[in-house]
Structure formats: C-alpha cells, structure tokens
C-alpha cells in the first residue's frame, strides 16, 4: 500500500514538472511575441497620428494657405494631360479617358 502511494506521488510530481516546463515555454514564447509587437504598436500609433493629422482636409487647406498662398489653383481633373515619350516623340493624352470609368 505504501509503495502505491509513493508511486502515485512520484507520478504526480513528474506530471506537475512536465506541465510546469511546458507552461514556462509557452510563457516565454508569449513574452517574445509581445516584445516583437511593442515597437510595431508604437510605429502604428505614430503613423496613424501622422495620417490623421496631416491628411485631414482641414489641415491640407490650412497648409495650402500657410505655405502656398495663391500658388495652387484648382483645375478640373479632366483637363489634366499625360505626356508620354515614344521613340523620341512626345505624345499628349488625357490622364483620364473620357470614355472609360477609371
């Protein structure tokens, strides 16, 4: 009877140590992944701040007034042309084809 109790206790100790080791390995992997994610989160926050702050229409209009004053003018997108060089000759095309839905 004592041998059975001792055997059960040894098996439980062995199982506990195996579970503890596998848990430690998983925790180490989680730590490494979190450490790899930390700089990416910081970079994402910076990029989102920059995007939201700099690309908002209000900010763009403010920057236009502040830095370009009257240098920029509005034009219709259909009036924009594309210049292509083919065999040392220049060809001027519409940037947006009027017949296509691009």
């Amino acid at each position: 009877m004592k041998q059975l109790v001792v055997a059960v206790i040894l098996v439980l100790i062995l199982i506990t140590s195996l579970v503890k080791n596998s848990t430690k390995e998983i925790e180490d992997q989680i730590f490494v992944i979190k450490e790899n994610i930390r700089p990416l989160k910081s970079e994402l926050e910076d990029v989102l701040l920059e995007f939201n702050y700099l690309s908002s229409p209000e900010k763009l209009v403010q920057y236009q007034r502040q830095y370009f004053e009257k240098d920029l003018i509005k034009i219709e997108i259909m009036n924009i042309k594309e210049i292509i060089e083919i065999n040392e000759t220049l060809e001027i095309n519409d940037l947006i084809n009027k017949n296509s839905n691009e």
Side-chain angles (χ1 to χ4, degrees):
M1 183 71 174
K2 286 185 181 183
Q3 291 177 345
L4 181 62
V5 171
V6 171
V8 169
I9 291 174
L10 288 176
V11 168
L12 290 175
I13 290 173
L14 180 65
I15 291 173
T16 303
S17 65
L18 291 174
V19 169
K20 187 175 180 181
N21 284 340
S22 65
T23 303
K24 185 179 180 324
E25 289 175 6
I26 292 172
E27 287 175 347
D28 289 344
Q29 290 174 354
I30 290 172
F31 177 77
V32 168
I33 290 172
K34 283 183 177 181
E35 287 300 310
N36 290 337
I37 289 175
R38 183 180 302 167
L40 295 175
K41 280 184 176 180
S42 175
E43 185 177 340
L44 175 66
E45 290 172 358
D46 292 344
V47 168
L48 283 175
L49 175 66
E50 182 179 326
F51 175 77
N52 290 334
Y53 183 74
L54 293 178
S55 65
S56 70
E58 296 83 18
K59 280 291 175 190
L60 292 174
V61 169
Q62 177 185 349
Y63 291 142
Q64 179 200 359
R65 286 188 202 121
Q66 184 177 357
Y67 296 110
F68 299 108
E69 294 179 12
K70 297 186 181 204
D71 293 338
L72 300 178
I73 58 171
K74 292 183 184 178
I75 62 169
E76 291 293 323
I77 195 164
M78 299 304 288
N79 294 337
I80 299 176
K81 304 292 182 188
E82 176 181 34
I83 300 175
I84 304 172
E85 182 179 355
I86 302 175
N87 297 330
E88 296 184 15
T89 61
L90 296 178
E91 183 177 312
I92 299 175
N93 297 325
D94 290 332
L95 182 64
I96 298 177
N97 294 333
K98 295 177 184 176
N99 295 334
S100 68
N101 292 329
E102 293 180 22

Short mmCIF file of all heavy atoms in Angstrom, two decimals, residues 53 58-72:
data_model
loop_
_atom_site.label_atom_id
_atom_site.label_comp_id
_atom_site.label_asym_id
_atom_site.label_seq_id
_atom_site.Cartn_x
_atom_site.Cartn_y
_atom_site.Cartn_z
N TYR A 53 -3.58 63.47 -38.74
CA TYR A 53 -3.30 64.88 -38.53
C TYR A 53 -2.95 65.58 -39.84
O TYR A 53 -3.48 66.64 -40.15
CB TYR A 53 -2.16 65.05 -37.53
CG TYR A 53 -1.85 66.48 -37.20
CD1 TYR A 53 -2.70 67.21 -36.38
CD2 TYR A 53 -0.74 67.10 -37.72
CE1 TYR A 53 -2.44 68.53 -36.08
CE2 TYR A 53 -0.46 68.42 -37.42
CZ TYR A 53 -1.31 69.13 -36.60
OH TYR A 53 -1.05 70.43 -36.31
N GLU A 58 -9.07 69.64 -43.50
CA GLU A 58 -8.87 70.94 -42.86
C GLU A 58 -7.39 71.28 -42.79
O GLU A 58 -6.98 72.42 -43.05
CB GLU A 58 -9.47 70.94 -41.44
CG GLU A 58 -10.97 70.77 -41.40
CD GLU A 58 -11.39 69.30 -41.48
OE1 GLU A 58 -10.55 68.42 -41.23
OE2 GLU A 58 -12.54 69.04 -41.81
N LYS A 59 -6.58 70.30 -42.42
CA LYS A 59 -5.15 70.54 -42.32
C LYS A 59 -4.54 70.82 -43.70
O LYS A 59 -3.68 71.68 -43.83
CB LYS A 59 -4.43 69.33 -41.69
CG LYS A 59 -4.54 69.31 -40.20
CD LYS A 59 -3.74 70.46 -39.66
CE LYS A 59 -3.92 70.55 -38.17
NZ LYS A 59 -3.35 71.77 -37.63
N LEU A 60 -4.98 70.10 -44.70
CA LEU A 60 -4.45 70.32 -46.04
C LEU A 60 -4.78 71.72 -46.53
O LEU A 60 -3.93 72.40 -47.12
CB LEU A 60 -4.98 69.27 -47.00
CG LEU A 60 -4.47 67.85 -46.77
CD1 LEU A 60 -5.19 66.89 -47.71
CD2 LEU A 60 -2.99 67.75 -46.93
N VAL A 61 -5.98 72.17 -46.28
CA VAL A 61 -6.37 73.53 -46.67
C VAL A 61 -5.55 74.55 -45.87
O VAL A 61 -5.08 75.55 -46.41
CB VAL A 61 -7.88 73.73 -46.48
CG1 VAL A 61 -8.26 75.20 -46.62
CG2 VAL A 61 -8.66 72.88 -47.46
N GLN A 62 -5.37 74.28 -44.60
CA GLN A 62 -4.58 75.18 -43.76
C GLN A 62 -3.14 75.26 -44.27
O GLN A 62 -2.57 76.35 -44.37
CB GLN A 62 -4.59 74.70 -42.31
CG GLN A 62 -3.74 75.54 -41.39
CD GLN A 62 -3.67 74.96 -39.99
OE1 GLN A 62 -4.41 74.04 -39.65
NE2 GLN A 62 -2.77 75.48 -39.19
N TYR A 63 -2.55 74.12 -44.60
CA TYR A 63 -1.18 74.11 -45.13
C TYR A 63 -1.09 74.82 -46.47
O TYR A 63 -0.11 75.51 -46.76
CB TYR A 63 -0.64 72.69 -45.25
CG TYR A 63 -0.39 72.02 -43.93
CD1 TYR A 63 -0.66 70.68 -43.75
CD2 TYR A 63 0.10 72.73 -42.84
CE1 TYR A 63 -0.43 70.05 -42.55
CE2 TYR A 63 0.33 72.11 -41.63
CZ TYR A 63 0.05 70.78 -41.49
OH TYR A 63 0.29 70.18 -40.28
N GLN A 64 -2.11 74.66 -47.28
CA GLN A 64 -2.11 75.35 -48.57
C GLN A 64 -2.09 76.87 -48.34
O GLN A 64 -1.31 77.58 -48.96
CB GLN A 64 -3.33 74.98 -49.40
CG GLN A 64 -3.35 75.72 -50.72
CD GLN A 64 -4.73 75.76 -51.33
OE1 GLN A 64 -5.68 75.23 -50.79
NE2 GLN A 64 -4.83 76.40 -52.47
N ARG A 65 -2.94 77.33 -47.46
CA ARG A 65 -2.97 78.77 -47.18
C ARG A 65 -1.66 79.24 -46.56
O ARG A 65 -1.15 80.31 -46.89
CB ARG A 65 -4.11 79.09 -46.21
CG ARG A 65 -5.46 79.03 -46.84
CD ARG A 65 -6.54 79.54 -45.90
NE ARG A 65 -7.82 79.02 -46.29
CZ ARG A 65 -8.62 78.28 -45.53
NH1 ARG A 65 -8.28 78.01 -44.30
NH2 ARG A 65 -9.75 77.83 -45.98
N GLN A 66 -1.14 78.44 -45.66
CA GLN A 66 0.05 78.84 -44.92
C GLN A 66 1.31 78.85 -45.79
O GLN A 66 2.10 79.78 -45.72
CB GLN A 66 0.25 77.89 -43.74
CG GLN A 66 1.40 78.26 -42.84
CD GLN A 66 1.50 77.32 -41.64
OE1 GLN A 66 0.67 76.43 -41.46
NE2 GLN A 66 2.51 77.52 -40.84
N TYR A 67 1.49 77.83 -46.61
CA TYR A 67 2.75 77.69 -47.32
C TYR A 67 2.70 78.06 -48.80
O TYR A 67 3.69 78.46 -49.37
CB TYR A 67 3.28 76.25 -47.19
CG TYR A 67 3.61 75.88 -45.78
CD1 TYR A 67 2.84 74.96 -45.08
CD2 TYR A 67 4.68 76.47 -45.11
CE1 TYR A 67 3.14 74.63 -43.78
CE2 TYR A 67 4.99 76.15 -43.81
CZ TYR A 67 4.21 75.22 -43.14
OH TYR A 67 4.51 74.89 -41.85
N PHE A 68 1.55 77.92 -49.41
CA PHE A 68 1.48 78.14 -50.85
C PHE A 68 0.67 79.37 -51.24
O PHE A 68 0.69 79.78 -52.39
CB PHE A 68 0.90 76.90 -51.55
CG PHE A 68 1.72 75.68 -51.34
CD1 PHE A 68 1.28 74.66 -50.52
CD2 PHE A 68 2.94 75.54 -51.97
CE1 PHE A 68 2.04 73.53 -50.33
CE2 PHE A 68 3.70 74.40 -51.78
CZ PHE A 68 3.25 73.39 -50.95
N GLU A 69 -0.06 79.91 -50.31
CA GLU A 69 -0.92 81.06 -50.51
C GLU A 69 -1.68 80.94 -51.83
O GLU A 69 -2.60 80.18 -51.94
CB GLU A 69 -0.11 82.35 -50.41
CG GLU A 69 0.43 82.57 -49.03
CD GLU A 69 1.26 83.82 -48.89
OE1 GLU A 69 1.26 84.66 -49.80
OE2 GLU A 69 1.90 83.95 -47.85
N LYS A 70 -1.25 81.67 -52.87
CA LYS A 70 -2.01 81.63 -54.12
C LYS A 70 -1.27 80.88 -55.22
O LYS A 70 -1.61 80.98 -56.38
CB LYS A 70 -2.32 83.05 -54.58
CG LYS A 70 -3.19 83.77 -53.59
CD LYS A 70 -3.63 85.11 -54.08
CE LYS A 70 -4.47 85.72 -52.96
NZ LYS A 70 -5.37 86.70 -53.42
N ASP A 71 -0.27 80.11 -54.85
CA ASP A 71 0.49 79.35 -55.84
C ASP A 71 -0.30 78.16 -56.39
O ASP A 71 -0.06 77.72 -57.50
CB ASP A 71 1.80 78.82 -55.24
CG ASP A 71 2.76 79.95 -54.90
OD1 ASP A 71 2.61 81.04 -55.48
OD2 ASP A 71 3.65 79.72 -54.06
N LEU A 72 -1.22 77.64 -55.60
CA LEU A 72 -2.01 76.49 -56.04
C LEU A 72 -3.37 76.95 -56.53
O LEU A 72 -4.00 77.81 -55.92
CB LEU A 72 -2.19 75.51 -54.88
CG LEU A 72 -0.90 74.92 -54.30
CD1 LEU A 72 -1.24 74.01 -53.13
CD2 LEU A 72 -0.12 74.16 -55.35
#
